[in-house]
Amino acid sequence: MSELPLPFSIHSIEDWQAQLQSELLEKSHLLKYVNDIEELEFSITDLDGPQIPLNFNSPTNWKNLLKVSANEEKKTNQLLLDALMQGAEAVIIEHASRQTDWKILLNDIQTAYIDCMIIFNDDDSMQHFKNNASEDAQKHCKVLYQYGEEQNYFSSFKINQVGANCATELGSLILHIHRVLELQSSSESHIHGYTFFLELGLGAEYLVEIAKFTAIRKLIEQLSIIHQMKIEIKLIATTGFCNKSLHDPYTNLLRQTTESMSGVIGATDYLCVQPYDALSTNGTSEFAQRMALNIGNLLQFEAKLDQTKTLLFGSYVIGKLTQELIEKSWEMLCDLDEENTDSIEQLKSRIVHTRSIRLAKFEDKKLLLTGINCFENEFEIPPNSWGNLPTEIGLPFLIFEKTMQDA
Amino acid sequence: MPKLSLKAHRNINWEAQAVAIQAPKYRSGMPPYLSGPYASMYLAKPWTIRQYAGFSTAEASNAFYRKNLAAGQKGLSVAFDLVKQVLLSTLLKI
């Protein structure tokens, strides 16, 4: 648009800033982006400043991913078959163990034609897979190690779900990767060619979440320079539960769509939309499962976001947020690496801090969630309630609606 | 296990890796207003969310407005005689 030969003089940035000040008067504090949960603050009008380039020239070509547990093989197999018929292009199987019946679990799953990933947490379960899975499954499934020096799968999803801010989530993720890279550099075998699968949680703050995905690529690039290793990363964006409502289920569809868009625009490789009621006492419903998959389908086939290019080109705020997140998470990495103290405890204290700010904002209604603490849906009877929540580093997942349910 | 200290890498000059982005030539609130008629646009005052209403009786329309305002609607678009406007009056012989 700026290339149009229009007969108008170009105004200086100072003129524009003065115009903004005169329009906003006593509200001129709005010209500063302030986010106390993320601990970020910068001017939104300093457009001429240097920025991290956001040069994603390739289309945002992601795969819709379904995450399942290896428990209850027959049920999971049916779930996988249904999902693959309904548009899922990739699956990730977690909780693999020595008891997993791989023949039942992967029955009729054409692993040669889909992206099938299996997460292993120990040698025994890995060995069990090698001994019991079909030849085809062994040949085509991607093996993700979440342990040891061969680790190639890292997840900060749970850290995200207990209330960490983006910088802490990124910091903890790169600290973990840095430590594994130290181990791998001392090892003689280089088995995985350093393709790392990184799972990040998708939060509600649209712009910050996009920046989180752009920041992680730059951070890994820096780690690969330091460790002198070529690292390729595959990002997995997973929606969470913090802001979801069982009382007003339709609002979740809107939330999951905007959250998914932030992952897609941040150029994730896999998008995993989890059914919003997965942690409820009754378990997930068919409605929630279908909607979860259809969000990804809709963004691909109807919105055609998978065919768009350079979505972030020229975005000042995303560039600035990316830069701030990179700096903060790198500083955290260096602090935790240098201090030789218990990094888990340090991490926990950071998360407890942001978690308490989130809770206070929610209680004071400075954080408004439609259908939960404002504009409640009085016409629906809650069909379900939140069940026992998973924990991470001693903290349960933070779900605002559950905090109201428990109060 | 050899430890690779990050001490030497603490002060990475991220700014040096950044590039100057060319800001748009034409800005909001400035002619030719390609980025919007006001410099501040939605910064201080977001758009209002409305539903056009007035199809029914005064009582029913009033109830509709109240319900929508309670559900977060920020403005009212009141049409007093929508029944006539959409020609329902002819069909219903009102």
Side-chain angles (χ1 to χ4, degrees):
Chain A
M1 212 182 328
S2 57
E3 297 307 317
L4 288 173
L6 295 171
F8 294 99
S9 58
I10 295 163
H11 297 268
S12 70
I13 198 155
E14 289 78 18
D15 285 350
W16 179 64
Q17 286 166 341
Q19 175 75 18
L20 274 167
Q21 292 282 355
S22 69
E23 278 181 24
L24 291 170
L25 298 171
E26 73 278 5
K27 288 182 179 172
S28 57
H29 64 275
L30 293 170
L31 296 174
K32 207 170 239 185
Y33 176 91
V34 181
N35 187 327
D36 44 5
I37 292 173
E38 299 293 337
E39 295 171 2
L40 298 173
E41 191 177 318
F42 58 86
S43 160
I44 62 167
T45 63
D46 186 21
L47 301 185
D48 286 340
Q51 271 186 47
I52 293 283
L54 304 166
N55 50 352
F56 297 118
N57 287 318
S58 54
T60 49
N61 201 1
W62 76 95
K63 285 185 177 174
N64 291 321
L65 178 125
L66 176 76
K67 198 199 290 194
V68 292
S69 167
N71 305 325
E72 296 187 72
E73 292 86 343
K74 206 165 183 181
K75 197 174 151 194
T76 306
N77 175 261
Q78 193 54 51
L79 188 67
L80 286 172
L81 290 169
D82 290 346
L84 290 167
M85 291 295 285
Q86 288 169 14
E89 300 157 293
V91 296
I92 200 162
I93 301 170
E94 53 182 6
H95 308 138
S97 73
R98 283 177 64 185
Q99 280 76 44
T100 306
D101 189 331
W102 290 105
K103 295 227 162 65
I104 295 178
L105 182 60
L106 296 175
N107 185 33
D108 283 341
I109 308 287
Q110 303 296 315
T111 49
Y113 302 99
I114 57 159
D115 215 337
C116 182
M117 296 168 273
I118 306 171
I119 302 170
F120 293 100
N121 287 303
D122 53 63
D123 283 330
D124 283 353
S125 52
M126 173 64 208
Q127 206 52 49
H128 177 72
F129 172 75
K130 280 186 177 168
N131 296 339
N132 294 281
S134 69
E135 221 169 88
D136 246 20
Q138 289 190 49
K139 190 174 166 192
H140 299 293
C141 291
K142 285 194 184 92
V143 172
L144 305 186
Y145 297 87
Q146 205 176 8
Y147 67 98
E149 64 182 52
E150 293 175 11
Q151 184 163 355
N152 60 352
Y153 171 77
F154 303 84
S155 176
S156 61
F157 174 73
K158 287 183 175 174
I159 294 282
N160 171 279
Q161 289 302 292
V162 295
N165 63 17
C166 290
T168 307
E169 188 185 348
L170 289 173
S172 74
L173 195 60
I174 54 173
L175 176 68
H176 199 158
I177 294 169
H178 168 62
R179 292 200 169 146
V180 169
L181 285 173
E182 281 182 331
L183 277 172
Q184 290 191 344
S185 62
S186 63
S187 162
E188 286 176 8
S189 57
H190 301 290
I191 300 165
H192 303 296
Y194 307 113
T195 296
F196 288 162
F197 291 79
L198 313 183
E199 183 190 33
L200 288 99
L202 277 173
E205 285 232 29
Y206 189 66
L207 300 175
V208 187
E209 293 298 322
I210 296 172
K212 184 169 78 182
F213 279 81
T214 54
I216 188 68
R217 291 187 186 274
K218 198 80 190 162
L219 288 162
I220 298 292
E221 200 180 299
Q222 194 60 45
L223 274 184
S224 73
I225 292 169
I226 291 171
H227 287 272
Q228 297 177 331
M229 291 176 186
K230 195 166 182 261
I231 305 169
E232 193 193 338
I233 58 166
K234 296 283 180 195
L235 297 180
I236 302 167
T238 305
T239 63
F241 306 98
C242 178
N243 56 352
K244 303 301 179 295
S245 171
L246 296 176
H247 290 223
D248 199 350
Y250 311 109
T251 56
N252 299 324
L253 301 179
L254 307 172
R255 290 193 178 101
Q256 285 177 320
T257 306
T258 52
E259 287 167 8
S260 300
M261 281 178 66
S262 59
V264 163
I265 293 170
T268 186
D269 297 287
Y270 298 95
L271 173 65
C272 175
V273 183
Q274 304 210 79
Y276 64 83
D277 54 2
L279 299 180
S280 65
T281 45
N282 299 346
T284 186
S285 60
E286 206 184 322
F287 169 75
Q289 269 171 358
R290 282 197 64 238
M291 288 303 116
L293 265 176
N294 281 344
I295 288 169
N297 290 337
L298 197 143
L299 293 179
Q300 272 183 342
F301 306 130
E302 295 181 39
K304 301 204 184 301
L305 286 186
D306 60 336
Q307 293 174 30
T308 51
K309 285 186 179 182
T310 58
L311 277 169
L312 296 174
F313 184 76
S315 170
Y316 166 75
V317 170
I318 301 289
K320 196 73 186 162
L321 284 168
T322 304
Q323 193 166 334
E324 295 280 329
L325 285 179
I326 287 172
E327 284 171 12
K328 281 197 174 294
S329 48
W330 191 263
E331 192 185 335
M332 180 183 153
L333 166 73
C334 295
D335 285 348
L336 294 179
D337 184 64
E338 215 169 272
E339 282 168 12
N340 271 338
T341 48
D342 186 356
S343 57
I344 298 289
E345 276 309 308
Q346 292 260 353
L347 196 61
K348 189 173 176 179
S349 77
R350 285 170 197 254
I351 296 172
V352 166
H353 176 66
T354 40
R355 185 184 166 101
S356 63
I357 298 175
R358 286 183 201 274
L359 278 166
K361 277 179 170 282
F362 177 73
E363 276 160 24
D364 298 346
K365 296 211 171 187
K366 284 176 184 162
L367 172 67
L368 292 174
L369 294 173
T370 301
I372 299 176
N373 69 347
C374 71
F375 312 133
E376 282 126 81
N377 184 351
E378 296 160 12
F379 310 101
E380 297 256 347
I381 301 159
N384 213 340
S385 58
W386 293 100
N388 289 329
L389 301 181
T391 57
E392 181 71 0
I393 52 170
L395 297 166
F397 277 22
L398 174 62
I399 296 179
F400 291 115
E401 195 174 66
K402 183 162 167 63
T403 63
M404 288 172 77
Q405 183 185 303
D406 294 343
Chain B
M1 174 187 111
K3 186 165 162 43
L4 199 158
S5 171
L6 291 173
K7 208 175 241 178
H9 305 283
R10 176 176 273 281
N11 298 315
I12 290 174
N13 188 359
W14 299 101
E15 289 259 329
Q17 295 184 24
V19 292
I21 300 285
Q22 196 187 1
K25 277 185 200 167
Y26 300 111
R27 303 178 212 287
S28 58
M30 303 277 182
Y33 305 104
L34 293 178
S35 300
Y38 304 106
S40 54
M41 290 306 295
Y42 294 120
L43 198 54
K45 192 181 173 200
W47 58 89
T48 56
I49 300 161
R50 295 154 186 260
Q51 283 184 25
Y52 200 42
F55 285 98
S56 191
T57 61
E59 289 80 11
S61 293
N62 180 265
F64 185 76
Y65 301 143
R66 284 170 180 275
K67 187 180 157 193
N68 284 354
L69 288 169
Q73 183 164 306
K74 300 286 186 203
L76 292 175
S77 292
V78 180
F80 286 114
D81 202 7
L82 258 181
V83 176
K84 188 162 274 173
Q85 193 180 317
V86 297
L87 300 178
L88 273 175
S89 55
T90 320
L91 295 170
L92 300 172
K93 295 182 181 167
I94 298 171

